[in-house]
């Protein structure tokens, strides 16, 4: 079953990569054959002519900034909720869970007017803030269980050695939750990198577009005369960072899966 699933994933990816080196005529006439001439120019044209390079840079800035902020805030919030008892801590946790059940499209209109009143509509900082708010509930929910499972004795030992609360968190507890951090970072990266509805609603300035907006616009800007070779090249450019992200955190992700079976 795993082999079958792997084929279902790899075959479309391989076909997309192969098509990115063809002309539109070759894609339709011989979709599964090797290209007669490898069109490396498709990538250069997609990057410059279609504006994919600018959209890629915007996406890296927005997703990278949002990911760093949400990981720091989410880890701190999950740690406090999991390790400390204070009045209203359960209410805060359940409000975070409620954020997971709220469909994002219901918040589009309020978000539009909030960002407009703040002067952040159609700006990258505004999009970063919305991405952070969008990903924070899931991050807290995911990391809560990891911090809850960490032994209290380790925190007490750090306190006996003279470590304060901040040092205990950043130098002791946070490294121990590395598998959970890697897992939630991958999930958040995938969700934010592929996000389309939020940018379309609150980021209509073309110079601030992200990749999802740019690819859709590029696919429809020429009607039936789309250069499919360049389009597939743009799709490969979108996919590659996701694969690189997974490869970088693969070991930590595997460790998070097996962490629950070991003591």
């Amino acid at each position: 079953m795993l082999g079958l699933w792997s084929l279902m994933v790899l075959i479309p990816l391989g076909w997309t990569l192969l098509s990115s080196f063809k002309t539109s005529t070759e894609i339709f006439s011989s979709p599964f054959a090797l290209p007669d001439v490898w069109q490396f120019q498709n990538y250069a044209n997609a990057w410059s002519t279609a504006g994919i390079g600018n959209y890629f840079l915007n996406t890296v800035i927005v997703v990278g900034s949002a990911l760093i902020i949400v990981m720091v805030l989410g880890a701190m919030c999950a740690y406090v909720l999991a390790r400390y008892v204070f009045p209203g801590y359960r209410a805060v946790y359940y409000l975070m869970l409620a954020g997971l059940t709220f469909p994002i499209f219901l918040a589009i209109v309020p978000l539009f007017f909030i960002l407009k009143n703040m002067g952040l509509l159609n700006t990258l900082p505004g999009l970063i803030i919305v991405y952070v708010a969008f990903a924070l509930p899931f991050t807290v929910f995911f990391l809560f269980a990891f911090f809850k499972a960490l032994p209290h004795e380790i925190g007490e030992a750090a306190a006996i050695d003279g470590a304060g609360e901040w040092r205990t968190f950043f130098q002791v507890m946070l490294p121990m939750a590395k598998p959970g951090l890697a897992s939630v970072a991958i999930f958040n990266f995938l969700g934010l990198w592929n996000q389309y509805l939020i940018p379309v609603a609150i980021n209509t300035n073309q110079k601030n577009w992200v990749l999802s907006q740019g690819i859709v616009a590029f696919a429809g800007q020429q009607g039936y005369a789309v250069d499919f070779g360049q389009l597939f090249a743009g799709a490969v450019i979108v996919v590659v960072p996701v694969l690189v992200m997974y490869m970088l955190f693969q070991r930590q992700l595997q460790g998070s899966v097996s962490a629950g079976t070991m003591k």
Side-chain angles (χ1 to χ4, degrees):
M1 293 299 295
L2 289 176
L4 180 61
W5 176 257
S6 299
L7 289 176
M8 293 174 61
V9 173
L10 292 176
I11 289 176
L13 285 176
W15 181 75
T16 300
L17 179 62
L18 188 64
S19 299
S20 67
F21 294 102
K22 296 181 178 181
T23 63
S24 297
T25 303
E26 288 180 314
I27 292 174
F28 286 103
S29 61
S30 53
F32 300 105
L34 292 176
D36 295 331
V37 179
W38 293 80
Q39 302 291 332
F40 293 96
Q41 190 65 27
N42 286 341
Y43 285 88
N45 292 337
W47 186 266
S48 57
T49 306
I52 299 297
N54 183 51
Y55 305 145
F56 185 90
L57 179 61
N58 290 340
T59 307
V60 170
I61 293 173
V62 171
V63 175
S65 302
L67 191 62
I68 293 173
I69 296 172
V70 78
M71 291 303 298
V72 173
L73 294 181
M76 295 171 69
C77 182
Y79 176 76
V80 171
L81 293 176
R83 311 288 291 189
Y84 296 94
V85 177
F86 56 89
Y89 82 99
R90 289 186 180 274
V92 175
Y93 178 67
Y94 289 134
L95 283 174
M96 287 290 179
L97 293 184
L100 291 173
T101 65
F102 193 80
I104 188 62
F105 61 83
L106 294 180
I108 291 298
V109 174
L111 279 175
F112 180 89
F113 287 105
I114 290 173
L115 292 176
K116 183 179 180 181
N117 293 333
M118 295 174 62
L120 295 176
L121 189 65
N122 297 325
T123 64
L124 296 183
L127 194 57
I128 292 172
I129 293 174
V130 175
Y131 275 12
V132 171
F134 174 74
L136 188 61
F138 172 76
T139 305
V140 174
F141 169 74
F142 195 97
L143 294 178
F144 178 86
F146 276 87
F147 287 117
K148 193 73 172 178
L150 295 180
H152 286 270
E153 292 80 3
I154 296 179
E156 295 172 355
I160 293 175
D161 289 340
E165 298 292 347
W166 289 96
R167 186 176 180 183
T168 300
F169 171 69
F170 282 106
Q171 295 188 4
V172 179
M173 295 301 183
L174 199 61
M176 294 180 63
K178 187 181 295 184
L181 293 171
S183 301
V184 76
I186 291 176
F187 292 136
N188 281 333
F189 180 82
L190 288 174
L192 298 179
W193 188 267
N194 296 324
Q195 184 59 241
Y196 178 70
L197 178 61
I198 294 176
V200 167
I202 64 174
N203 187 40
T204 57
N205 187 350
Q206 186 172 355
K207 71 176 184 178
N208 292 330
W209 276 5
V210 294
L211 275 174
S212 57
Q213 294 174 279
I215 288 294
V216 172
F218 178 50
Q221 68 184 356
Q222 299 179 16
Y224 294 102
V226 176
D227 188 327
F228 286 94
Q230 292 185 31
L231 183 60
F232 280 114
V236 172
I237 294 174
V238 173
V239 171
V240 165
V242 178
L243 297 178
V244 172
M245 182 73 172
Y246 176 76
M247 293 174 63
L248 290 176
F249 292 98
Q250 181 181 10
R251 292 185 179 275
Q252 288 80 1
L253 182 61
Q254 291 173 349
S256 69
V257 173
S258 60
T261 64
M262 302 177 62
K263 292 186 178 180

